[in-house]
Amino acid sequence: MREKEKNGMIERAIENWLINTNERNYQTAFCQVLLHKGHKIIYVSSHRSMEQGKDIVTIDENGDYCAYQLKTGNIDLNKWRNILGEVKELIELPITHPSVDKTKIHKSFLVANGEITDEVRIQIDQMNEDNQRKGRMYSYLDIINGQTLLKEFIDAQGEFIPKDLENFRLFLELFLTDGGDFLPKDNFFSFLNNAIFSDIPKQKSKAISSISSSVIMTTYMLSPYQIKNNFYALFEAWTSLGACIVRYAQKAKLKKEDWIGSFNLVKSEIIRSLSLLKNETLKREDFLEGDWLGDGGLIYRARATIVLGTLAALEVYLHKTNESYVKDEKLLKSIKDNIRILWCWGESAFPYFFNIIKYLEFSNEKQIAQSLLKALLEAIIKSNSPKSQAGLSTPYYSASDILEAVLGINTERTDFSQFAGSSYILELIILMLARRDRREILEKNWRKISHIQFKEFKLDDIEDIFLWRTEKGVNHAEFPKMTQSWKELVKEANDFSRVPDLYLEYLDLLNFFLLVCPHRINKAIIGLLDKKY
């Protein structure tokens, strides 16, 4: 297929996405376009309650304040009359924000992903002229229609439209997926790292454009998941993109000021996706999906563990970043009610359990939290002892992998005995117990612990912690000491002197990222999260 044909197909895919999406789902891509044009984003509406008709507020390259109201579809006279009140708030009311001078008139823009009819354009012109003639200190209303939006998206995408056949195929597969399943993380990471972040250009501006392009391209590819309201897949995708951006920025040695705006957009989408997942979950009485005849059992338990663990991570984040945040009693009740059905299918379940434990602890449910931690220790000791016939799988096996193996869906039978005798998470659990002064549990079980190898994949390049796959590193394995000094163990559990600065700087992202890529768990990250969260 010729390059011109591929570009044409992708541009038509972008146009189809823009026509069929809503204002909330093109908001992030539009914000990225504004960043690309030199704007500084100072406010983005959550759409829970519109802020005086302003969905986005920026400072442009000339230092002028700009306010945008985003709409879906065509705007004809009927729709214009329905939104006129919001439009008047947009142009008449000053921007309310700590960093904005209220005495300075802002620029106003009505943005639509459809067309604005000539009758509406005439009314807008008349309104602007009337305000100017009467000396009203209102802002002038400009319009941005669907065709202009499409051009700006394609221009901002620039040279990063996938050109080689493999990346083009990956884009189409992601764009045309059903959207009701888990994110195909292998393909998603491959596309980002091969089509957009593959090279470190000599020109800093090109590296910055790569990051801009990644946000816009991701918005297109997530359309199927947006349509299906698959909030968990959206969370996984935005978290994966955030990780790729941080790694690329480190590799390219970019100044944080050059890319942090894009990263903040991505981070806001992570939190938004989790918030929507939480709202959906707490409205329901169970975790069933689709036809109940084909649901239940281990599938149900895995889904409950994933959802509750992920929402616990959100609550832990909000608790840490907002001093006035009040814990959600309904979520706490759901976790306590379902604690007995949580399923540790393998070591990739650990991040979910870790966040549930942390959430229970700050919710003053320490006894339940410590019982859960003790149960994890005992499960690893029992399942992964050298004599075990079926060990808990390594973090490289997802819940889906284990379910397929257990239910006989996977034709290649998984040999669970291969996991016996070693563990990637046992040392992490031991250090967590040491921080909590649970000496008696470890003393009672140390002889059994000492026969199980501690395993860890040690990266050559620290920023590769944010990769889905890498061969740059070594698998490290060692047995714990046959006899262990309690004093030394506690000291090790609380020693963070050698922790990389990168972990400290992006600890919030790492906690979410470990849910997406549990095979990136290590004792330094878990130790930091355990101590600082």
Side-chain angles (χ1 to χ4, degrees), residues 12 34 59-60 115 119-120 160 232 305 311-312 320 404 428 470 523:
R12 285 194 294 276
L34 295 174
I59 301 175
D60 68 15
E115 291 307 308
E119 293 87 351
V120 174
F160 298 98
Y232 187 79
T305 304
L311 296 184
K320 175 179 175 288
E404 288 178 1
L428 281 56
T470 179
K523 62 183 177 182

Side-chain angles (χ1 to χ4, degrees), residues 47-63:
H47 281 259
R48 286 194 293 266
S49 57
M50 186 170 291
E51 181 64 30
Q52 298 177 335
K54 301 164 183 65
D55 292 327
I56 303 168
V57 176
T58 73
I59 301 175
D60 68 15
E61 64 274 21
N62 299 316

Side-chain angles (χ1 to χ4, degrees), residues 45 70 74 76 90 119 134 138 193 209 270 309 397 403-404 425 433 478 497:
S45 169
L70 276 55
N74 298 326
D76 56 17
L90 171 69
E119 293 87 351
K134 294 180 179 178
Y138 299 155
N193 288 318
S209 293
I270 294 171
Y397 290 78
L403 282 168
E404 288 178 1
I425 67 169
L433 287 164
E478 64 175 299
S497 58

